[in-house]
Structure formats: structure tokens, C-alpha cells
Amino acid sequence: MSREYVLKPYHAEINLQIDYARELNPQQLAAVTAPPGPALVIAGAGSGKTRTLTYRVAYLLEQGIPADRILLLTFTNKAAGEMMRRVSDLLGHELRSLWGGTFHSIGARILRLHADQLGYQRDFTILDRDDAQDLIKACMADAEIDKKDKHFPKPAVLNEIFSLTANTHKTTGELVDGQFSYFSQFAAQIADLAKRYTARKRTTNAMDFDDLLALWLKLLQDNVEVREHYQRRFQFILVDEYQDTNKLQSDLIDLLAARHHNVTVVGDDAQSIYAWRGANFANILEFPKRYPGAKVFKIETNYRSTPEILSVANAAIAANVNQFAKELAPARKSGVKPALIACQDAGQQAAFIAQRALELRDEGVSLNNVAVLYRSHFHALELQLELTRQQIPFSITSGIRFFEQAHIKDATAFLKLVANPRDEISFKRLVQLLPGIAAKSADKLFHIFQSRSRGDETLTEIGNRKSEIGNQSEPPHVGSYKIATALQACSKSVPKKAAVAWSQFTATISQLEDETVRKSAARMLRLVMDAGYDDYLKETYANYERRLEELQQLAEFAFQFGSVEEFLTQLALLTNVEAEDGNATKDDAEKLKLSTIHQAKGLEFDAVFVIMLCDGMFPSTRSMESNEGEEEERRLFYVAITRAKNELYLTYPLIRAGYGSTGMDAMQSPSRFLAEIPKELLNEWNLR
């Protein structure tokens, strides 16, 4: 039986001689020196959360708790490394016996020791995402899923469904009904594939990323001896970023802590912004209910931002009903008031940001310390154009760059092919979206396509003639080119399984060639979505709705361009700038930072611009359909504000020029979140 320890301040095994009262503020000190028992530490933005956790570990060690009886759980490898480094620095040496790391790394460590209890060998393979999808593909073959059914979800989507079922403790049926209702007719087949996938993993002695948690929990639930061993071992459990835990992770924590109840969770309910990927906001909100008698500590002193920025942040989050009330208090001296800027349109908003960014640089603020934050990728399209025009260097930290995303490249490939029938890359990209056509077939079809002619004029000559007239203000009568005719002539060489899809593809190109459509990039993009690409998104991507929304916004963005060629030229310029940035090194010159708010969480900047603060954009239209959704959007707004150290600019356009189904100007309503901030807290600028 494992030896159990209690706090023994007069018999400490490690004497660090840390003056905690001097090193910590009173709120941090209270949390760090808390007696045994459950504790919830609400650590506000910029309040020293990591410092508090680090000193809590040191305090436990100084009180006589052996390092191997402490479990420290974090979310990312970077956070885990930083936490362990700080603990080592504080101790003056490495502490190898401390159990610290991500949920998944700790799960893997325990499963390596006890895999045989679950019917696995200890040398099991951990599948990455691509490996998992390959295994799911094999299960689909075993189940004889009809590959001709283009509406059935692809392996990547199935993998996301299986992942969410594991992390939310829902059945595949419940998840399909709730989040993937457009696959409801396949619910029984998806459930069958889930069983096959689970069995296949066991047969091949493999676990995927989600199994590292799901099977860890199953191990503890099903094996009394193993469960009691780890409940005794982990006398003190500390959890970072608790507001981001999902149901599976909270169940693991609760089960491990069931013996001693010495669990300290640290987080900020006001920064819970990941419901879309399975995070359960109720975990942190209901912690005191699950642990009666739990002590709640609030750390509200903010060391990052000026008092003026914090006043806006406090006001911005105040309207949320479901929260632990707190008030960020400044540790810094007074600064300038945040600015609220009303712009005529998105172009003026972009011009203002570009100008102010250059002014900040002249004032001694590096562009590396200036960030433009937004709700969604497409909110920064006009800004990217303006920065490119003014040759202001920028980097994009929002994951894959907007124009490099597969669905954006797919949709624009239709336009490129119609604009230039010699475009081999676009042709091959599009035909490989069709079933049964791979690289070799695509190459063969392209050569056949190019060899076909319309009368005495080949498609190559058509392409040459298009290049010659591409600079004209009005496009020529493109209907006469009949690219679709050449595609139709290729049909005999198309694989049988792609015959129906090829016919649809030909019909789509024919419609895109119509003169009334061809003169407008926006109309062409809308037609692409209506002609079946919407269905392709559903079956191919788990985040189908977001991708569709981005394509819809791209179509509206395209209204401002006079011709398809102009639109494609601007996209090429932006893509090339982004590609160059993608090859950047740390030694490159300073660059303005563009980022989604989700990607910027945990970061800080001297100056921050939060843009597109219009109802329907921020908050998003979908989020306004429920109180829960709107409150999460308000938390996202709060996260954006609290990234700013010295200067904050909140901007919105009054008009989206050339937007909407008719291409007419659309009036915008300022974000409802702005109305919740008292006017006296902001400097209002009107650029109209």
C-alpha cells in the first residue's frame, strides 16, 4: 500500500526558505498557502496564474509532500515545459520525480504501465491524425461503404465525430443528431463504423490521441486496484487552464481526487472560449457544487494592462450572468483611454489601422508588439489588401492563412479555370475533387482537354486571346469560348465512377461561362457553392459551417472588384505576401501581427486593434441565437481586450461597401458589446 502524506510544516523534506509573503501579493499568497482540500483559483487575465501554480508546487514540497505525490496537469506541451522550468528554477534543480505534463502525456505514461489490463500490449502504437484516418478508411472498406455515395462523410469527418464522442461522453447518435444533423440518414452506419474502428485499434495494438484519455478513464473505472493505487499516489492534483477542460478530462480529475480531495484547479471562467471544440464551461462554473466546501480564491491584480484598459475589460464582461464576479485591479500607472473608432466602411477601417500602426512605429513601438485581432479569418481581408498596398510588413498567426485554406483554393480554382483554360494547376485540382480521379488520371485528362478545339481555335489560343483582353474594363462575350464543350469531349476518358460527377462539373463550368455570371467574381463564387460544392464541404470537413461562411464572405468581398481578373490578381498578390511570410525566420524585420482572438489567447501586445465590431460579425450571427452563445462571444471580446498592455483601439465599419446578394452597400449595426461599455471610458473617434 502506498504511503500517504499530510502537510507537516515542521518536518519538511525540502527547505526552500522562500519568503512567500514577499514574493506574492496577498491574493496569490492565500491560494499558494491554502490548506489541504478542494480549491478553485479564479485567476484573472494578467494576474500571474503561472506564478501562483509554480509557488503552490514549491509550497507543497516545502511542507513535506514528496514530488512523486504531486500531479500537475496542463494543456499544451509549451505550457507544461514552461511550468516545469519555472519549478526547477525556483528549486534550483530539476525535479524529475514530479508528475507534470499534458493530460495526454500523463495518460500515455500510465497506459504504458497498465495496457494489459485493457487488452493491449504495452508497446502499443499511438496513431497521429493521418494514421487514424487511414484506419477508418480501412474500416469503411470492411463495411463495404458505397464510395459512390458522395454524401457519406469522409474519414477526416468521421474521425472528428469519433473524437467528439470520446471527449463529450455522448453516443455517435447523439452527436450526429446535435452537431452533424446533415448526416442523420447515415447515423446507424456511423455507429457501426465507430465499433469497427474501436475493434480495429485493439486488434492492431494501436491507440489514437483520444484513447489516451478515454482508456485512461476506463482503466481507472474498471480496475479497483489500479484506481486506488493512483488515488493514493496523487495526493495533490493541480490543474492549469481548468476552464478549457472537457467532460472526459473533468471526470478523470474527479476520479483521481476522490480519495484525498486535494485538487486545486486554476483558470478564468471569463476566458472560456473553446466550447466549439468540446470544452465544457460548466466544469469551472459548477466546481463548488461538485466539491462542497471548496475554497474559492480570486486573483484580480492585473500586471499587464493600464487602469483605463482594465476598466473597459471589466465593463465588457459585466453583462454575463453565468460567471464568478470579479474586478480586475491595476498594478500599473494610468495611461491613455481606449479609443472607439467609427469608420465609413471596411476600407477606411483598414486605412486607419495601417496609418496608426506606422505612427506607433514612429513613436518607438515595434510592429512586433502591435496586434490586429478579429473574430474570423475573413474579417481581415480588406486590411490585408491595404497593408499590401502600403507595403507594411505583416504576419498572420491565425493558423493556416486564409487564402491557403483548401476550400478557398478549391472555390477560386473554378474562377481561375474559366478565366484561363490553360491553367493546369486549377484544372487538376478541380478534377481530383471528383471520385475516382487521382493524379495520373488528372494529368491524362488535362492533356486530352488541351487537345480539344472549338472550330479552328484551340483552348490554348483561347487562353492567349483571354490574356490579351484581360485588361479591358468589360469582359468579352465569354459564352462563345465553351470550355464546357471541351470538358464534355473528355467524358469518354473519365473513369466510370466519376461519370456522373464529371457531368455535373461540366454543367457547372458551362453556367460559370455564361456572360451574366462570368462578369462577376461574386456571382461565380455563389454559383460554385450552389452547384454542389456545399455538399462536398459537408462530407469532407467537420467544420463545414465555418468554411461555408468563409466562402459566403469571400463572395461578398468579391463584389468590390470590377472584373474576375482584378479579383484574382488581388488574391494572387495577397497569397504571395502570405507565402513569403510563411518562409520568414526569427531574424526577419518587424511585422504587424494579424490574428484571430482564439489564436491570441495567452499573448500580450503593447497596442491592440479589435476590428469588425458589428452585430452579426462580432458577435457572430449564429452565437446570437442563444444566451450561451452570446455569453461565450462576450468572453471572447474580453479576451481580446485583455491582450492590450498600453493602447487599445475598438473599430467598426458603418457600411460594408458592395456587400450582400445584390452587391449593394449594406448598413452595419455596431456590436451590442460596445453599447455595454460606458461612454466615459472611451475616446470616441468618428472618421466619417
Side-chain angles (χ1 to χ4, degrees), residues 86 107 109 244 255 301 318 337 343 406 424 475 517 567 622 682:
R86 291 201 189 188
R109 181 176 175 181
D244 294 334
L255 189 55
T301 301
K337 274 188 181 182
C343 305
E424 180 177 358
V517 177
F567 172 71
R622 192 178 300 113
L682 299 167

Side-chain angles (χ1 to χ4, degrees), residues 167-209:
N167 286 288
T168 60
H169 285 186
K170 292 181 179 179
T171 65
T172 53
E174 291 171 337
L175 200 70
V176 169
D177 287 343
Q179 290 181 239
F180 299 88
S181 57
Y182 40 87
F183 292 136
S184 58
Q185 72 270 35
F186 303 121
Q189 289 173 286
I190 293 172
D192 175 64
L193 282 173
K195 293 178 182 177
R196 290 174 183 269
Y197 177 53
T198 299
R200 194 73 170 249
K201 285 185 291 184
R202 191 179 300 276
T203 300
T204 57
N205 195 37
M207 298 183 190
D208 63 23
F209 208 55

Side-chain angles (χ1 to χ4, degrees), residues 170 191 206 241 263 270 353 358 426 494 503 514 546 556 583 603:
K170 292 181 179 179
E241 301 286 7
V263 55
I353 293 170
L358 292 176
S426 294
V494 172
S503 178
D514 182 88
R546 179 183 67 76
E556 294 191 348
N583 295 324
L603 303 178

